[in-house]
Amino acid sequence: MNSVNDKIKGNWNELKGKLKQQYADLTDNDLLYVEGKEDELHGRLQQKLGKTKDEVNSMIERLTATEQSKA
């Protein structure tokens, strides 16, 4: 499992809130997380936001890094 998937699993509620604030067009269905289906979540985010997998991963890394720097 890669580090982005670990961050999704560990901080999903906080990350989901930040994504909804930053991208108002994301719905709860877009952000539905089921453990073990992180690739499916990545695909939904890529499609909805029009970003590549690397861009989505960078966005997640950036959002989780700002949360960790506050702790």
Side-chain angles (χ1 to χ4, degrees), residues 34-48:
V34 176
E35 189 168 343
K37 297 202 175 198
E38 292 84 4
D39 289 336
E40 203 173 286
L41 174 63
H42 274 98
R44 284 194 307 267
L45 290 173
Q46 285 176 254
Q47 184 176 19
K48 188 74 175 203

